[in-house]
Amino acid sequence: MFRRAFWFTSGVAAGVWATTKVNRQLNKLKPESLALQAADRAVLAGRRVKLFALDVRDGMAHREAALKDALGLSAGPEPERRELPEQRRLVALEQQHPYHSLTRKEDH
């Protein structure tokens, strides 16, 4: 008698558990639930994009400060005008922009 009651109770419990699982899955597939899931995921994606943008902005500011320090352009009381070393200055003056010749009037 106890054996039958045990198996009957086990069967009822398994049936209730399976019915509950199936009903939960069916509720997840309703249009209202799908819309809520999509909205939640969109909000989460927006937050992730915002955090990524803030990280990029912080990284850019850090890199810009490092480059300014490396080039000696860090903000002081009054920035002094620095000239390029002689060799580099001459090379920079001798080089012309590739489109410079197209904009001159005598070439037209």
Side-chain angles (χ1 to χ4, degrees):
M1 174 84 177
F2 289 113
R3 230 172 160 185
R4 287 184 185 176
F6 171 76
W7 287 113
F8 177 76
T9 307
S10 298
V12 169
V16 168
W17 178 79
T19 304
T20 304
K21 289 292 258 183
V22 168
N23 284 335
R24 284 183 185 167
Q25 290 299 322
L26 288 176
N27 286 337
K28 286 182 182 179
L29 296 176
K30 287 183 179 178
E32 300 87 20
S33 178
L34 291 175
L36 286 175
Q37 287 176 8
D40 289 342
R41 288 184 180 163
V43 168
L44 182 62
R47 287 180 185 158
R48 287 181 180 168
V49 168
K50 183 179 178 181
L51 289 175
F52 175 73
L54 291 174
D55 286 345
V56 168
R57 185 177 295 161
D58 289 342
M60 286 174 33
H62 177 70
R63 181 66 178 148
E64 184 177 357
L67 287 174
K68 283 184 178 180
D69 287 342
L71 294 174
L73 299 175
S74 58
E78 184 175 320
E80 62 185 53
R81 183 180 172 121
R82 296 181 61 184
E83 296 202 18
L84 291 174
E86 193 61 33
Q87 295 171 345
R88 291 175 63 197
R89 189 176 74 77
L90 290 177
V91 171
L93 291 176
E94 291 172 359
Q95 291 179 349
Q96 290 186 358
H97 193 273
Y99 299 110
H100 179 70
S101 62
L102 297 177
T103 59
R104 294 189 341 195
K105 290 185 180 180
E106 55 264 3
D107 288 343
H108 290 226

